[in-house]
Amino acid sequence: MEGEAQDAEIPRKRLPEVEGRSLCISKGLFIPDVKTEDTYTHMPTGQKQFSRRITASSIHRQSRYIGDTTELEPMFFDLVPFDANGESTTLAGKLRKKGDGPTFIDLHDGNDHGFEADLSALTELEAIVKPHGPALIDLYFSVVHPSFPIVDEHTFRQDYVDAYNSVPPELLAGIYVVALQWWTQDARLVTSEMPSAERLGDTALRLLGDALYRPRLSTVQAGLVISQRPFGESRELMAQLVTIGYELGLHLDCSAWKMPAWEICLRKRLAWALYMQDKWSSLIYGRPSQISKVNWAVRTLTKDDFACSSGDEEEDDESIDLRKGWTVYIEMVALTEILSEVLDTFYTLQATREFEDAGGNATRVILDRAKPVQIKLKDWFTRLSSLLKEESSISGNLSSTGSLHLAYFATEITLHRCIIRSLSTSGPDPYLHHICRSAAKTRLISAMEFVNRLKPQQLQSFWYFASKINFALISTFGSLLRATAPGREEADFYMTRLSEYRWTLSVGSKSAPFLDFSVKSLDTSTSFLVNLTEKPSASVGNQSNSASIQSVSPPRDTHMVDVPSSHAGQPSGYFDPSFQSFSHQHISGGVSTSASGLASPSTSTSDGSSGQEAYTAYSTSAAFVPQLATTVLRWLDAQATDKILDLGCGDGMLTAEIAQTAQEVLALDASASMIEAAKQIYQSNGDGTGQKCEYRVADCRYLERESDIVDGSFDKVFSNAALHWILRDRTTRMSTINGVYKALKKDGAFVFEMGGAGNVAEVHAALTAAVVHQGVTVEQAREASPWFFPSDKLIERMLEDAGFEVDWLEMEYRPTKLTVEDGGGLEGWVRLMGAQFLELLEVGDRRERAVREVCETLESVVTHEEDGSMWLGYVRLRGVASKH
């Protein structure tokens, strides 16, 4: 289209003077809604230079998408002749088509003085920031743009230098006001007086308000940029931006439209930015989303949608961070789609009514619906690029990954929030309550630990607009768990964690001032709990809420799915008990009298002693071991057809219990005396279970050598409180784990509980010190230590190295009450469990002095003054791993 005779061409830098002259506009800032002669079609692919002619008759016009139900019937458009530029003049107005895409109509914006006003606005902006405009532009594109790429950087910079009058003032104002956050990080700016953020912010909002009446792509860009301010809200603005997005056809698939590649890419990135703004606004403001899945046709973003606006940079730190930013943006979009599903599934009015109608079954209904969402979250986390791991960033550079990971936690917490609320109406199902609250506790602690790990280069980087409330959602969730805690100890635990979290936020606010909002939000949530009814205390000797479910077996036919890890850097297979789905849990905290113990030091028990002597010592000082193993037994869930291998069976009590439901059990222990005791007590007890059990002396350190065991014939392998003895020897650890793997059938399960990192640390330290004080070297004492208390991450790596898929890992801190019978108590425990330490000393005075020193050292540490009971600090590590 060569232009009509009455329309004069305007050189790129000339100002508007009279009707018939116009401004040039940037290619990345307006939709192609003006009459142009495009010269880009004659340029090489990817070339950045671009020019177009703009006619005065079209300056005040805008294009709007024509939907399917308006007074203009879309079928009629096929009867209208369109010229080579896809335009046709009709009585309704000028119609425009982009190839086989939708039809737009040109409308007059009703403002004949808009561009004069724009020029005045640009002058006003420069008066506020002069002479620092270019530096602020650099800050925006170096900090914000990489992970929020909704403006074409090359074109914007070119227009800013060569055609300043063509830059939309509302967008420029938004870029300026957002970039002010990093003023002190720019060497050119730090010594200068910063412009008034309030004045610049007010100006940006006023200019955006004016632009809303003549909307173009730049209007949406400006609105989204301004919404990223760390202070202020954008509730009402969001509704206007979504409406404008529909008018501009941003919800449509533009991949086949007749327009240059850069514009297709820009529209896609901008469309998804609008989608994200809508969904996260829906979450943090508690309002219905305005974008529905059924009316959203924009294709998924790929890296090709960014390359068309980046050019060919060398692979330096800057280009790496740019590509990292693209990946952050792509993954944030993908995560937002999952968030949208969470909101649609659990937080619509219809969903709320359905949960209310479900009554006492509401929690199970919610868990059933949560299963596919958890699968998607797991898949999302699994595919995260190594560039996006929490600790991954170019040294010294700002990193925007924090915002992404925080959004992940906010999504998980939003899901679990619905579950916890439903428990108040779910009826008296202690197992259901326990697993749901345990999973929720894990999510909370993982989120808080993530915040605690944030580095300055993350805190000082760009945070997505929803972040300040996402930080607050963590404390809100913690307050909810505190308010709904069944007992005082659990409520106090959450109160302590919330206090720690508040301190973390307060410290972080020095680097990220917007965290002040999150601190105030935490204080507000806490203030609501002032009048909370005091929780009952778990009485000494009674079961905690974790022990109160020991007689309840989990269902075997519900929700066996994978869900994601709780934070970046954590393994991706995560057993979330609340969904009966496999995942990894970390420290759960809390206090319980039902911890499983260290079990018998089987490899150190003298085979010269009689079976009865060994059994007597064990049953006196460590009787709580089998009695308190109900959790891991419940996870084992022995079935009538199961062939089970029990490693480190000790006195055989648990083996006999397993045999009550299993088809057959082979129990192994390195101590001949323990095996003899087990045979005497359980194999001929008359209830029929003895015939199902075989007790065998075997050193489980060398399990891989037991050819008749590692034959792939076992449905399950079980171990309670024995692996921390068996795996003590570094040189044989993998032989044991490999042997377990080989013993299992395909799809078989390894279920275990052992001491975890930090288990009985006080006793460990006291024993080491006592023998050293008797002349043993520290190195000898360390070597004599019979225990291996690994972290969850270490045991997970070992299992995976053997070929297992780790389904569930959980660490729990549970102080454990010692027995008080003669020969038991603290001294009995020290003599039995610390035998290998004490054997460094000859029988006699030195050994007795060591025992006495340990007991005297620990007495004030482990004794409860109110009743004189003694408690040791047990840390339990439980897991389920599968052979596939």
Side-chain angles (χ1 to χ4, degrees):
M1 68 183 185
E2 285 293 328
E4 301 174 12
Q6 71 273 24
D7 293 330
E9 289 184 26
I10 303 299
R12 189 172 177 82
K13 291 187 180 181
R14 294 189 59 181
L15 303 179
E17 298 173 356
V18 295
E19 183 71 25
R21 296 189 180 272
S22 72
L23 286 162
C24 175
I25 62 174
S26 166
K27 74 176 185 181
L29 306 178
F30 293 70
I31 85 166
D33 59 353
V34 293
K35 189 173 182 179
T36 66
E37 178 181 10
D38 295 335
T39 60
Y40 58 79
T41 55
H42 307 295
M43 292 184 176
T45 301
Q47 187 168 334
K48 288 299 177 182
Q49 296 299 321
F50 174 80
S51 65
R52 61 171 65 169
R53 297 178 183 175
I54 302 178
T55 60
S57 62
S58 59
I59 290 176
H60 308 296
R61 307 188 75 81
Q62 56 186 276
S63 287
R64 293 188 176 181
Y65 164 65
I66 302 175
D68 290 338
T69 58
T70 71
E71 76 282 6
L72 300 177
E73 172 54 51
M75 289 186 64
F76 296 165
F77 301 154
D78 295 335
L79 306 176
V80 176
F82 287 86
D83 61 24
N85 294 304
E87 298 181 349
S88 178
T89 301
T90 70
L91 290 176
K94 182 173 289 185
L95 303 181
R96 300 172 53 249
K97 288 182 70 72
K98 288 297 175 182
D100 295 329
T103 304
F104 290 81
I105 186 169
D106 280 356
L107 300 173
H108 195 281
D109 64 18
N111 187 353
D112 291 339
H113 303 287
F115 286 92
E116 288 83 352
D118 284 354
L119 180 59
S120 175
L122 291 170
T123 303
E124 179 184 2
L125 285 175
E126 289 311 306
I128 298 174
V129 304
K130 189 177 181 180
H132 306 300
L136 289 172
I137 296 296
D138 289 343
L139 275 175
Y140 176 85
F141 282 108
S142 64
V143 179
V144 180
H145 175 72
S147 57
F148 196 62
I150 65 170
V151 178
D152 188 275
E153 179 180 3
H154 179 90
T155 302
F156 185 93
R157 287 185 178 276
Q158 182 179 354
D159 287 347
Y160 186 79
V161 174
D162 297 335
Y164 181 73
N165 54 281
S166 71
V167 177
E170 69 276 11
L171 178 57
L172 182 61
I175 288 176
Y176 281 161
V177 74
V178 170
L180 280 181
Q181 298 173 67
W182 297 278
W183 181 276
T184 58
Q185 297 183 29
D186 191 295
R188 296 169 295 176
L189 300 175
V190 68
T191 58
S192 302
E193 182 180 359
M194 187 172 71
S196 169
E198 182 178 1
R199 180 184 175 192
L200 193 54
D202 290 343
T203 302
L205 289 174
R206 174 171 53 81
L207 294 176
L208 177 61
D210 294 340
L212 292 174
Y213 295 99
R214 44 191 176 96
R216 293 171 170 78
L217 288 190
S218 59
T219 310
V220 180
Q221 289 171 311
L224 292 174
V225 169
I226 291 172
S227 295
Q228 306 312 307
R229 296 172 301 153
F231 305 102
E233 294 186 352
S234 57
R235 300 177 189 233
E236 295 79 10
L237 175 59
M238 190 61 244
Q240 293 172 296
L241 293 179
V242 171
T243 299
I244 292 172
Y246 284 135
E247 291 289 313
L248 301 177
L250 283 177
H251 60 301
L252 305 174
D253 176 16
C254 65
S255 56
W257 291 7
K258 185 181 178 183
M259 59 174 58
W262 65 262
E263 188 166 352
I264 292 175
C265 294
L266 179 67
R267 287 182 68 96
K268 285 182 66 177
R269 299 198 305 270
L270 184 58
W272 282 112
L274 186 64
Y275 178 93
M276 290 194 294
Q277 191 80 14
D278 173 69
K279 299 302 179 180
W280 288 99
S281 293
S282 177
L283 171 69
I284 66 175
Y285 299 139
R287 301 289 184 267
S289 169
Q290 298 175 78
I291 295 177
S292 63
K293 182 178 181 180
V294 295
N295 283 313
W296 188 258
V298 185
R299 293 194 180 185
T300 302
L301 286 173
T302 68
K303 291 187 178 180
D304 290 340
D305 294 314
F306 300 81
C308 58
S309 59
S310 67
D312 297 322
E313 298 92 347
E314 295 182 2
E315 192 69 10
D316 54 16
D317 285 359
E318 183 177 356
S319 61
I320 291 175
D321 280 348
L322 184 62
R323 284 163 175 75
K324 181 177 179 179
W326 297 349
T327 310
V328 168
Y329 191 74
I330 290 173
E331 295 301 340
M332 187 67 177
V333 169
L335 180 62
T336 304
E337 290 187 274
I338 301 175
L339 171 69
S340 177
E341 185 169 348
V342 171
L343 297 175
D344 290 345
T345 304
F346 303 101
Y347 288 94
T348 62
L349 294 178
Q350 178 179 340
T352 300
R353 283 195 299 270
E354 290 171 351
F355 300 151
E356 290 174 350
D357 292 343
N361 201 40
T363 301
R364 297 187 183 278
V365 171
I366 291 171
L367 294 179
D368 186 61
R369 296 185 183 185
K371 177 172 62 174
V373 180
Q374 285 286 358
I375 292 175
K376 291 178 182 179
L377 275 169
K378 181 260 185 181
D379 291 343
W380 177 88
F381 183 86
T382 300
R383 71 163 184 267
L384 278 184
S385 163
S386 59
L387 279 174
L388 303 188
K389 299 303 179 184
E390 283 181 43
E391 65 279 2
S392 175
S393 65
I394 302 300
S395 179
N397 288 8
L398 296 181
S399 172
S400 59
T401 58
S403 181
L404 178 67
H405 288 284
L406 177 65
Y408 168 72
F409 284 115
T411 303
E412 281 204 320
I413 282 174
T414 301
L415 177 57
H416 282 267
R417 213 170 156 185
C418 181
I419 296 169
I420 294 300
R421 289 174 181 173
S422 73
L423 291 176
S424 63
T425 60
S426 65
D429 185 338
Y431 176 72
L432 187 65
H433 281 245
H434 172 71
I435 58 176
C436 290
R437 293 193 64 84
S438 295
K441 180 188 288 186
T442 300
R443 312 253 80 58
L444 175 71
I445 294 174
S446 296
M448 288 179 168
E449 289 176 348
F450 156 75
V451 176
N452 193 50
R453 289 192 303 272
L454 287 173
K455 303 181 179 77
Q457 62 262 40
Q458 293 171 314
L459 286 171
Q460 295 170 7
S461 187
F462 168 64
W463 287 83
Y464 192 55
F465 86 103
S467 295
K468 68 177 182 181
I469 297 183
N470 286 345
F471 278 109
L473 289 178
I474 296 174
S475 58
T476 300
F477 189 51
S479 297
L480 175 64
L481 289 172
R482 178 189 167 195
T484 57
R488 186 201 310 167
E489 289 80 5
E490 185 177 342
D492 289 346
F493 167 79
Y494 288 119
M495 184 168 64
T496 300
R497 294 311 297 256
L498 286 168
S499 178
E500 294 170 353
Y501 184 61
R502 188 186 190 282
W503 182 86
T504 300
L505 292 176
S506 298
V507 173
S509 67
K510 305 300 186 292
S511 298
F514 67 85
L515 288 179
D516 285 334
F517 171 89
S518 305
V519 174
K520 293 176 182 176
S521 176
L522 191 158
D523 291 341
T524 299
S525 293
T526 302
S527 69
F528 289 135
L529 304 184
V530 171
N531 297 320
L532 187 66
T533 303
E534 185 174 353
K535 306 288 184 179
S537 175
S539 59
V540 177
N542 289 341
Q543 299 167 329
S544 69
N545 61 315
S546 63
S548 66
I549 61 167
Q550 51 191 327
S551 63
V552 184
S553 296
R556 293 289 296 174
D557 58 350
T558 58
H559 315 330
M560 301 301 289
V561 300
D562 284 335
V563 298
S565 73
S566 51
H567 63 270
Q570 204 175 298
S572 58
Y574 184 161
F575 180 80
D576 188 335
S578 65
F579 300 106
Q580 283 299 299
S581 49
F582 286 118
S583 61
H584 287 252
Q585 295 187 341
H586 289 267
I587 295 290
S588 19
V591 178
S592 173
T593 62
S594 62
S596 55
L598 283 174
S600 169
S602 303
T603 57
S604 63
T605 301
S606 171
D607 288 337
S609 62
S610 70
Q612 186 60 43
E613 288 172 344
Y615 175 74
T616 300
Y618 180 71
S619 61
T620 299
S621 297
F624 53 80
V625 174
Q627 294 171 4
L628 304 175
T630 54
T631 299
V632 72
L633 282 175
R634 187 173 61 251
W635 294 359
L636 179 68
D637 193 19
Q639 302 294 300
T641 58
D642 282 346
K643 180 181 178 182
I644 297 176
L645 175 65
D646 183 2
L647 302 183
C649 64
D651 67 354
M653 181 184 292
L654 289 182
T655 307
E657 184 171 344
I658 293 169
Q660 290 179 7
T661 51
Q663 184 179 60
E664 60 178 295
V665 183
L666 172 60
L668 309 180
D669 201 283
S671 170
S673 54
M674 279 291 183
I675 291 296
E676 180 62 27
K679 289 180 178 179
Q680 291 178 9
I681 298 170
Y682 296 110
Q683 207 159 37
S684 57
N685 59 9
D687 64 357
T689 59
Q691 286 67 44
K692 296 183 181 181
C693 300
E694 177 187 352
Y695 295 95
R696 183 190 303 182
V697 176
D699 191 338
C700 296
R701 293 178 300 172
Y702 305 101
L703 184 63
E704 204 170 11
R705 300 176 183 176
E706 304 288 338
S707 58
D708 64 327
I709 295 176
V710 292
D711 58 357
S713 63
F714 290 89
D715 298 285
K716 295 168 185 174
V717 176
F718 173 78
S719 182
N720 178 67
L723 287 178
H724 44 254
W725 303 94
I726 297 169
L727 301 180
R728 171 64 178 85
D729 188 343
R730 291 176 179 271
T731 64
T732 60
R733 285 175 189 167
M734 289 312 298
S735 175
T736 302
I737 302 300
N738 288 332
V740 172
Y741 186 84
K742 294 176 180 178
L744 285 168
K745 296 178 180 178
K746 186 178 183 299
D747 296 324
F750 178 29
V751 182
F752 63 89
E753 178 171 327
M754 62 185 295
N759 191 56
V760 293
E762 68 274 62
V763 185
H764 203 163
L767 276 166
T768 301
V771 296
V772 168
H773 292 162
Q774 297 302 317
V776 174
T777 67
V778 173
E779 290 73 20
Q780 288 175 318
R782 288 173 177 167
E783 185 61 30
S785 174
W787 304 315
F788 169 62
F789 298 138
S791 67
D792 50 351
K793 290 185 178 180
L794 176 56
I795 200 71
E796 176 203 23
R797 188 176 68 206
M798 293 169 59
L799 290 167
E800 289 181 341
D801 287 347
F804 281 105
E805 180 178 326
V806 179
D807 302 320
W808 183 355
L809 285 179
E810 174 182 282
M811 289 185 71
E812 182 179 4
Y813 175 65
R814 292 191 316 189
T816 303
K817 185 179 179 180
L818 295 176
T819 56
V820 295
E821 290 83 359
D822 291 341
L826 181 58
E827 182 178 341
W829 193 101
V830 170
R831 291 184 184 278
L832 178 67
M833 301 302 184
Q836 285 184 241
F837 283 101
L838 299 176
E839 286 170 2
L840 292 172
L841 307 172
E842 67 277 7
V843 176
D845 289 345
R846 291 176 66 212
R847 182 178 293 189
E848 293 306 311
R849 284 198 297 270
V851 172
R852 189 162 56 249
E853 178 181 335
V854 172
C855 293
E856 290 175 353
T857 298
L858 292 176
E859 184 175 2
S860 61
V861 176
V862 304
T863 302
H864 285 196
E865 291 186 7
E866 68 274 11
D867 60 2
S869 61
M870 291 187 174
W871 300 68
L872 297 185
Y874 277 69
V875 177
R876 313 315 302 154
L877 172 57
R878 307 188 193 94
V880 179
S882 300
K883 176 180 179 179
H884 296 302

PDB file of all heavy atoms in Angstrom, residues 43 289-290 457 594 612 644 690:
ATOM      1  N   MET A  43      14.077  -7.580   4.010  1.00  0.00           N
ATOM      2  CA  MET A  43      15.324  -7.624   4.780  1.00  0.00           C
ATOM      3  C   MET A  43      15.654  -9.063   5.155  1.00  0.00           C
ATOM      4  O   MET A  43      14.776  -9.914   5.239  1.00  0.00           O
ATOM      5  CB  MET A  43      15.196  -6.789   6.066  1.00  0.00           C
ATOM      6  CG  MET A  43      15.078  -5.303   5.794  1.00  0.00           C
ATOM      7  SD  MET A  43      15.040  -4.398   7.339  1.00  0.00           S
ATOM      8  CE  MET A  43      15.027  -2.713   6.718  1.00  0.00           C
ATOM      9  N   SER A 289     -10.331 -15.599  38.746  1.00  0.00           N
ATOM     10  CA  SER A 289      -9.525 -15.295  37.565  1.00  0.00           C
ATOM     11  C   SER A 289     -10.425 -14.828  36.435  1.00  0.00           C
ATOM     12  O   SER A 289     -11.581 -15.243  36.318  1.00  0.00           O
ATOM     13  CB  SER A 289      -8.757 -16.544  37.130  1.00  0.00           C
ATOM     14  OG  SER A 289      -8.171 -16.368  35.868  1.00  0.00           O
ATOM     15  N   GLN A 290      -9.883 -13.956  35.580  1.00  0.00           N
ATOM     16  CA  GLN A 290     -10.653 -13.438  34.447  1.00  0.00           C
ATOM     17  C   GLN A 290     -10.264 -14.083  33.127  1.00  0.00           C
ATOM     18  O   GLN A 290     -10.848 -13.780  32.095  1.00  0.00           O
ATOM     19  CB  GLN A 290     -10.456 -11.923  34.355  1.00  0.00           C
ATOM     20  CG  GLN A 290     -10.973 -11.197  35.594  1.00  0.00           C
ATOM     21  CD  GLN A 290     -10.668  -9.727  35.554  1.00  0.00           C
ATOM     22  OE1 GLN A 290     -11.347  -8.967  34.860  1.00  0.00           O
ATOM     23  NE2 GLN A 290      -9.648  -9.316  36.275  1.00  0.00           N
ATOM     24  N   GLN A 457      22.374 -11.891  46.344  1.00  0.00           N
ATOM     25  CA  GLN A 457      22.182 -11.683  44.911  1.00  0.00           C
ATOM     26  C   GLN A 457      20.793 -12.137  44.450  1.00  0.00           C
ATOM     27  O   GLN A 457      20.350 -11.782  43.365  1.00  0.00           O
ATOM     28  CB  GLN A 457      23.265 -12.392  44.092  1.00  0.00           C
ATOM     29  CG  GLN A 457      23.319 -13.904  44.235  1.00  0.00           C
ATOM     30  CD  GLN A 457      24.385 -14.314  45.216  1.00  0.00           C
ATOM     31  OE1 GLN A 457      24.567 -13.671  46.245  1.00  0.00           O
ATOM     32  NE2 GLN A 457      25.098 -15.395  44.908  1.00  0.00           N
ATOM     33  N   SER A 594       6.989 -42.215  71.416  1.00  0.00           N
ATOM     34  CA  SER A 594       6.886 -43.456  70.657  1.00  0.00           C
ATOM     35  C   SER A 594       7.963 -43.593  69.606  1.00  0.00           C
ATOM     36  O   SER A 594       7.751 -44.140  68.558  1.00  0.00           O
ATOM     37  CB  SER A 594       5.516 -43.519  69.985  1.00  0.00           C
ATOM     38  OG  SER A 594       5.374 -42.449  69.093  1.00  0.00           O
ATOM     39  N   GLN A 612      19.490 -66.477  76.153  1.00  0.00           N
ATOM     40  CA  GLN A 612      18.656 -65.890  77.192  1.00  0.00           C
ATOM     41  C   GLN A 612      19.300 -64.647  77.786  1.00  0.00           C
ATOM     42  O   GLN A 612      18.626 -63.655  78.070  1.00  0.00           O
ATOM     43  CB  GLN A 612      18.405 -66.928  78.293  1.00  0.00           C
ATOM     44  CG  GLN A 612      17.415 -66.457  79.362  1.00  0.00           C
ATOM     45  CD  GLN A 612      16.057 -66.124  78.769  1.00  0.00           C
ATOM     46  OE1 GLN A 612      15.545 -66.847  77.920  1.00  0.00           O
ATOM     47  NE2 GLN A 612      15.485 -65.005  79.185  1.00  0.00           N
ATOM     48  N   ILE A 644       8.627 -61.839  52.796  1.00  0.00           N
ATOM     49  CA  ILE A 644       9.315 -60.678  53.332  1.00  0.00           C
ATOM     50  C   ILE A 644      10.654 -61.061  53.944  1.00  0.00           C
ATOM     51  O   ILE A 644      10.765 -62.090  54.626  1.00  0.00           O
ATOM     52  CB  ILE A 644       8.436 -59.967  54.385  1.00  0.00           C
ATOM     53  CG1 ILE A 644       7.157 -59.442  53.716  1.00  0.00           C
ATOM     54  CG2 ILE A 644       9.195 -58.821  55.065  1.00  0.00           C
ATOM     55  CD1 ILE A 644       6.167 -58.810  54.684  1.00  0.00           C
ATOM     56  N   GLY A 690       4.877 -69.081  64.001  1.00  0.00           N
ATOM     57  CA  GLY A 690       6.242 -69.603  64.030  1.00  0.00           C
ATOM     58  C   GLY A 690       6.588 -70.397  62.796  1.00  0.00           C
ATOM     59  O   GLY A 690       7.733 -70.398  62.338  1.00  0.00           O
TER      60      GLY A 690
END
